[in-house]
Amino acid sequence: MNIQVLDARRDQSGGYKVDVGRGDRVGRVSSEWFSRPDDERFLSLGELARTVRDRAARSRTRVVETTLICVEADRASPERLSLILPGVDTPAAPTHWSFGQLASLVGAPAAYLRQLPAPLAGINLQYGLTSHRVEQVRTLETENGHLELRAVTGPDYGRIYDYELVEAVQRIAGNGSGDTRWKVPGVLDWSTGIYNPRVDITKDTTTLYASDRDVFLFLVDDLNPIEAGRLPDGSPDLYFRGFYCWNSEVGAKTLGIASFYLRAVCQNRNLWGVEDFEEITIRHSKYAASRFAHEAAPALTRFANSSPTPFVNGVRAAREKIVARTDDDRSEFLRKRGFSRAETTKIIETVLAEEGHPPASIFDFVQGITAVARDKTHQDARLDMEAKAKKLFDRAA
């Protein structure tokens, strides 16, 4: 078996023939792609980094006493609230996000407060600040033509700025546009099954996103395909390496990094044929910045520079490990691992239909389980089946 294809055979269009019927489908990137307006889409890591770095340079964070925060409402603008923070004469305008954080900290329903006229909402919020047991908060204030209050968190909130994550990615991916092996992904042509890695980066195809509350980046190494075995027709089963990562410096979400092997990315930015999915998350607790520096950033670098040999060897071991030779063996193998009678039948039928033979190896069973899992409408059931498939694969590897 070839371990890595350095110069894999391409289709005449310049793409690679892939089999997306195998492995998992991951929709996280697609969800981001669907929800991002144009002003949150960036064409390069350099452009995105400049935006979030400049924003951080215009920001400051500090711990303030909640009893010293003064809420003001302008009768001329009954829909607007502003806050006078200790030591600052200029009113700070809370963002939609920070208003919700502030309301949550004092135990007030943010959705209800937003429906009230500003003077009435201000009275309720002021009462909460002066009487609630939360004595201190950490603020994130940004100068943006006016003073903007972007985040209100607990005093021990461990902020990791968005630019810190972006710069960590830049160290391995450059501009993210093909100047290194890591780049914005190409597109799968469903009519031919050809994945084309060379696609212009536009607002519609980019996978580099940033808003006033978060960043999300997805890159692949899709000019260097990896062969891990053969398909039933004898053609190579090709994979690419990929990762995505996210962060919110205002507390909207954790920091996280997911790495995996995949076979293709479609126009809607769904990931197809995903294998060996790994994810780490870091909550913004007191020592989050230290964990990012010593755990997450090095993990990203290790994955970017790692050899695919362990993954390919794992696939080979799973293909070679025969665990069932008869129909009774197949049913017993699946039933002992917690699959229902109906699921067992469907898994066996799926492998027979897709591979042309009933499942015999660990790899066959893993492919059948993940294919059936994709059809599960209930997320918990799907995740449970995918976890069982991964457990099987890991034991074989």
Side-chain angles (χ1 to χ4, degrees), residues 4-324:
Q4 184 170 10
V5 180
L6 298 178
D7 187 18
R9 183 188 305 168
R10 294 192 183 188
D11 179 77
Q12 291 182 350
S13 65
Y16 299 100
K17 183 72 174 179
V18 292
D19 181 1
V20 297
R22 297 163 173 256
D24 295 327
R25 181 188 70 83
V26 175
R28 173 68 187 277
V29 182
S30 182
S31 296
E32 298 286 340
W33 179 81
F34 270 111
S35 65
R36 300 284 179 167
D38 277 358
D39 63 356
E40 295 182 10
R41 298 170 180 252
F42 294 80
L43 305 185
S44 70
L45 282 172
E47 179 192 9
L48 193 156
R50 284 190 296 273
T51 298
V52 294
R53 194 184 300 116
D54 175 66
R55 182 172 67 196
R58 292 182 282 105
S59 302
R60 71 168 180 175
T61 182
R62 58 198 178 113
V63 175
V64 300
E65 300 288 334
T66 57
T67 56
L68 300 179
I69 299 175
C70 181
V71 183
E72 289 191 345
D74 187 352
R75 291 188 178 277
S77 300
E79 297 179 354
R80 295 185 59 185
L81 275 180
S82 59
L83 305 174
I84 303 295
L85 302 174
V88 180
D89 294 330
T90 305
T95 61
H96 186 274
W97 175 253
S98 67
F99 181 84
Q101 287 179 310
L102 194 60
S104 177
L105 283 170
V106 301
Y112 173 69
L113 291 181
R114 290 192 182 103
Q115 297 175 3
L116 299 177
L120 189 54
I123 291 171
N124 284 271
L125 196 56
Q126 187 71 73
Y127 174 79
L129 289 169
T130 55
S131 63
H132 198 263
R133 63 182 178 85
V134 176
E135 297 178 350
Q136 290 183 326
V137 293
R138 182 176 295 277
T139 64
L140 177 64
E141 306 154 36
T142 301
E143 183 59 47
N144 191 25
H146 62 277
L147 188 61
E148 191 173 66
L149 181 64
R150 294 182 53 230
V152 183
T153 58
D156 292 329
Y157 180 77
R159 194 176 318 281
I160 301 169
Y161 282 95
D162 292 339
Y163 80 85
E164 295 179 89
L165 176 62
V166 177
E167 288 183 350
V169 173
Q170 281 187 296
R171 284 193 284 272
I172 64 170
N175 217 26
S177 55
D179 52 322
T180 71
R181 65 193 301 140
W182 295 100
K183 54 182 278 297
V184 169
V187 172
L188 171 68
D189 184 341
W190 283 105
S191 65
T192 62
I194 300 296
Y195 175 74
N196 179 14
R198 300 184 184 277
V199 173
D200 291 339
I201 303 175
T202 66
K203 293 282 188 178
D204 191 50
T205 62
T206 189
T207 51
L208 308 174
Y209 310 122
S211 71
D212 62 349
R213 67 177 68 172
D214 74 329
V215 293
F216 184 94
L217 317 171
F218 167 49
L219 296 171
V220 295
D221 178 14
D222 60 2
L223 293 176
N224 300 282
I226 300 160
E227 179 184 337
R230 296 276 169 173
L231 299 174
D233 65 359
S235 60
D237 189 6
L238 298 180
Y239 298 80
F240 310 95
R241 293 189 299 165
F243 71 89
Y244 58 74
C245 52
W246 66 92
N247 184 55
S248 172
E249 63 190 23
V250 300
K253 58 183 68 172
T254 60
L255 178 142
I257 299 171
S259 62
F260 40 84
Y261 291 82
L262 73 163
R263 293 176 173 91
V265 184
C266 69
Q267 186 175 7
N268 291 344
R269 293 347 215 172
N270 277 301
L271 315 185
W272 294 91
V274 174
E275 309 275 5
D276 203 29
F277 184 94
E278 301 286 347
E279 180 178 291
I280 61 172
T281 59
I282 296 177
R283 293 179 60 250
H284 290 266
S285 55
K286 187 174 184 179
Y287 301 107
S290 176
R291 283 194 64 198
F292 172 70
H294 294 97
E295 181 180 339
L300 184 61
T301 302
R302 283 195 301 272
F303 175 74
N305 298 326
S306 65
S307 166
T309 301
F311 167 72
V312 176
N313 287 344
V315 173
R316 177 167 54 190
R319 288 181 184 274
E320 293 174 350
K321 188 168 185 178
I322 304 300
V323 293

Side-chain angles (χ1 to χ4, degrees), residues 333 337 362 366 369 388-396:
F333 180 81
R337 283 153 183 82
I362 289 288
V366 169
I369 293 166
K388 289 177 180 176
K390 187 178 189 310
K391 187 176 181 179
L392 272 179
F393 181 86
D394 289 345
R395 284 185 175 179

Side-chain angles (χ1 to χ4, degrees), residues 350-391:
T350 298
V351 176
L352 183 60
E354 294 186 357
E355 302 293 330
H357 61 80
S361 68
I362 289 288
F363 187 82
D364 292 337
F365 282 104
V366 169
Q367 296 303 311
I369 293 166
T370 54
V372 172
R374 287 197 298 269
D375 294 333
K376 293 286 186 180
T377 56
H378 194 282
Q379 184 180 22
D380 289 343
R382 176 176 58 80
L383 293 176
D384 179 63
M385 290 195 75
E386 290 175 353
K388 289 177 180 176
K390 187 178 189 310
K391 187 176 181 179

Side-chain angles (χ1 to χ4, degrees), residues 320-365:
E320 293 174 350
K321 188 168 185 178
I322 304 300
V323 293
R325 299 184 184 278
T326 68
D327 289 343
D328 288 343
D329 289 344
R330 286 181 265 279
S331 296
E332 183 180 3
F333 180 81
L334 290 169
R335 295 285 283 157
K336 280 185 175 181
R337 283 153 183 82
F339 294 98
S340 68
R341 191 176 302 276
E343 289 171 338
T344 295
T345 300
K346 190 169 184 180
I347 290 167
I348 294 171
E349 290 176 348
T350 298
V351 176
L352 183 60
E354 294 186 357
E355 302 293 330
H357 61 80
S361 68
I362 289 288
F363 187 82
D364 292 337
F365 282 104

